[in-house]
Amino acid sequence: MSPLDASLEVTVDGDGQQVQFTLVVENAGHDPVTVTFRDSGDADFAVLTPGGEEVWRWSDGRMFAQALRPAEFAPGESATFEAEWPAPEPGDYTAIGELRVRESEVRAETPFSV
Amino acid sequence: MRQGGRSRRAVLQAIGAGTTAVGLGTGLGAADGRGGRDGGATTRVNVGIRPGGEQAVRAAASTVHRTYAFDALTATVPEGAIPDLRSRDDVRYVEVDGEVRVDGSGPVESEDTQTAPYGIERVGATAVDATGEGAHVGVVDTGIDATHPDLLGRVGESFTTVGSWVTGAAAPAGQDDNGHGTHVAGTVGATDDSGGVVGVAPGVTVHAVKALTAAGVGYNADLARGVELAAEQGWDVVNLSVETTAASGTRMLRDACAFARERGVVLVAAAGNYGPCSDCVAAPGKLPTTIGVGATDADDDVAGFSSTGPGVDIAAPGVDVRSTDLGAGYTEKSGTSMATPHVTGAAALLRAAGHDPARTEERLLYTAEDIGREVAETGAGLLDVPAALQR
């Protein structure tokens, strides 16, 4: 259902020491779109190997306050969410970025290499 | 959850507008710095130890941040030292501590409407004379606004366990800079007076432990320290309206909860907001040492967001719950976070009435009202305060 567009940019710094993920979510439609965040985490990010094994997830080991948070995207409005994979191992991966919302998936994938 | 009528301002608070970065993580947690003793990367870890293990951790660590009474430490160590530590007989576990979101949005507030806290009435708290006076409840959360008119004089001790690894200006001990903890505290024990709202246990003393940042996100180490504090202080009940995304949680969290429970603290924790889903309750709600709480609405329907499966021990109202907010105001919030303090307040009433921790847990569950839902959804049923207090 979600008319929200998601795109995920992955930036690997020069010496491969850090990987930055930037998830941009935009309401490309003409009507406002309401989403409800499940908790105090806005977006989650994960890194998968070519074999599909998850090697890192932003939310692992973190606690989130369990109150819902509704939010509205006006037509044309966008929001940016960022996270960092601090100690990457060299290799080929797929990054996943997704909003932690109750509504249909708002998610993007991007392949990258360290 | 009401969906309509959000102001644009509310959206800006929630998600940051335009291309403004919200900043979910800065990498501060998993890699404190890149200048370890050996010049390699360092990582902050939680280490469980046996006798003799502390020396090994101290020898390997560039910094020891904190030690715990349940035989654990939080330390920054070179990444290369982790395998060696893990292989030692006097080290039980080494867990990398989670990152935390250090910047970002405030909560979205529902619009104020003149709604009574239906949940307090639904669980029968207004039908009993007990106030919980003499009982002590720890709220391990984002802090509590002790100046709120409905909490004035109710807040006892205030602590902050958010560690030095979180950047930014430190809030005064226990001060809420999010609103979540203040909302939870109001449901536990807002004063019974002519204005505002009333809590389940309006005579109880609540204690603030700020273990989550202004963004409402926390590290394992900070939550574990908050639970340990509850045991040290001898509080009767602790409210944990938080959830990890792992079913078993970390060893450290399990140890901290076991430590507090053994010392007589009743632990009440949210089941989580990840529904509709099955067998999806995570720690701390799923732990055997906690009472896990699912959420219902004003019609006794199970909230669609409420996590279900093993770990849900009981249910309480958690949809559009009205309670205290920052700025001397009131707001409605939804979540298993909001259901949890109803049960916490009831536990405080039982403790104040002289029931020991085991008896308190037993009575809460044994007397819960059957609302015709699956055990996986509501556990023993809906919290029933008068029945739990009945002699």
Side-chain angles (χ1 to χ4, degrees):
Chain A
M1 143 243 158
S2 178
L4 295 177
D5 293 337
S7 62
L8 178 62
E9 188 184 326
V10 182
T11 310
V12 182
D13 76 0
D15 51 0
Q17 290 291 296
Q18 291 186 335
V19 178
Q20 183 82 23
F21 305 105
T22 306
L23 179 69
V24 179
V25 177
E26 182 180 11
N27 177 7
H30 299 292
D31 298 311
V33 175
T34 302
V35 294
T36 306
F37 290 97
R38 289 183 179 277
D39 56 28
S40 59
D42 291 339
D44 206 356
F45 296 86
V47 174
L48 273 60
T49 64
E53 187 199 352
E54 187 174 294
V55 294
W56 177 82
R57 179 170 282 274
W58 175 79
S59 62
D60 276 351
R62 296 171 188 81
M63 317 282 164
F64 302 97
Q66 295 295 309
L68 302 182
R69 297 178 305 128
E72 185 183 275
F73 285 74
E77 185 172 7
S78 68
T80 301
F81 306 89
E82 295 182 332
E84 188 180 288
W85 185 22
E89 292 289 318
D92 297 324
Y93 302 102
T94 298
I96 296 171
E98 56 196 330
L99 292 191
R100 295 163 65 92
V101 294
R102 295 189 65 202
E103 291 75 10
S104 64
E105 230 171 42
V106 182
R107 182 178 192 271
E109 288 187 17
T110 302
F112 71 101
S113 299
V114 176
Chain B
M1 168 54 58
R2 296 176 308 160
Q3 295 284 322
R6 304 286 153 214
S7 68
R8 180 169 171 81
R9 182 173 155 270
V11 176
L12 299 184
Q13 284 180 322
I15 57 177
T19 55
T20 305
V22 171
L24 287 171
T26 63
L28 287 167
D32 284 324
R34 305 213 152 258
R37 283 180 180 174
D38 60 355
T42 60
T43 299
R44 198 178 69 250
V45 292
N46 297 320
V47 187
I49 51 171
R50 296 190 178 89
E54 181 168 347
Q55 282 78 5
V57 178
R58 287 190 180 278
S62 54
T63 311
V64 173
H65 301 282
R66 193 183 277 165
T67 58
Y68 302 84
F70 49 89
D71 298 325
L73 300 88
T74 297
T76 295
V77 300
E79 285 176 3
I82 293 175
D84 290 344
L85 285 172
R86 282 195 174 130
S87 70
R88 294 181 63 93
D89 288 340
D90 53 10
V91 171
R92 294 180 294 138
Y93 59 85
V94 180
E95 297 172 332
V96 175
D97 204 20
E99 280 176 71
V100 72
R101 187 176 65 176
V102 294
D103 187 13
S105 56
V108 176
E109 299 175 5
S110 300
E111 291 127 31
D112 284 345
T113 54
Q114 296 301 310
T115 312
Y118 75 91
I120 306 295
E121 289 186 4
R122 181 62 191 89
V123 301
T126 50
V128 298
D129 294 329
T131 66
E133 192 172 347
H136 294 264
V137 173
V139 175
V140 181
D141 210 288
T142 58
I144 298 174
D145 178 4
T147 67
H148 194 288
D150 242 334
L151 295 169
L152 207 58
R154 308 232 65 77
V155 182
E157 302 284 338
S158 291
F159 298 93
T160 292
T161 64
V162 175
S164 57
W165 40 80
V166 176
T167 57
Q175 182 172 301
D176 192 2
D177 46 13
N178 175 289
H180 187 266
T182 297
H183 198 275
V184 164
T187 300
V188 173
T191 305
D192 189 4
D193 54 16
S194 55
V197 294
V198 60
V200 171
V204 80
T205 300
V206 293
H207 303 281
V209 179
K210 183 171 178 56
L212 303 177
T213 65
V217 183
Y219 289 101
N220 276 292
D222 295 336
L223 192 78
R225 174 64 189 136
V227 171
E228 183 189 49
L229 252 174
E232 284 175 6
Q233 296 290 317
W235 296 335
D236 301 298
V237 190
V238 70
N239 188 95
L240 302 170
S241 284
V242 298
E243 194 80 325
T244 66
T245 50
S248 55
T250 60
R251 288 282 299 271
M252 164 166 272
L253 184 57
R254 293 208 298 277
D255 284 359
C257 288
F259 175 83
R261 182 62 191 79
E262 281 164 17
R263 279 154 188 79
V265 183
V266 175
L267 300 155
V268 187
N273 298 347
Y274 307 111
C277 58
S278 55
D279 196 6
C280 51
V281 180
K286 192 170 186 177
L287 300 178
T289 47
T290 64
I291 300 176
V293 185
T296 55
D297 66 12
D299 299 323
D300 290 350
D301 286 327
V302 177
F305 58 77
S306 190
S307 296
T308 65
V312 179
D313 296 311
I314 195 169
V319 177
D320 295 339
V321 172
R322 188 167 179 76
S323 187
T324 42
D325 192 18
L326 298 181
Y330 299 88
T331 190
E332 288 172 15
K333 290 180 188 285
S334 296
T336 50
S337 272
M338 282 63 246
T340 305
H342 287 89
V343 178
T344 297
L349 295 179
L350 287 161
R351 296 301 307 272
H355 296 293
D356 66 24
R359 186 88 174 129
T360 296
E361 292 169 343
E362 194 180 288
R363 287 189 80 95
L364 286 172
L365 303 189
Y366 183 72
T367 61
E369 180 184 341
D370 181 2
I371 55 170
R373 303 291 162 181
E374 303 277 332
V375 171
E377 296 175 308
T378 59
L382 187 73
L383 172 67
D384 186 338
V385 172
L389 282 171
Q390 214 164 42
R391 288 181 183 279

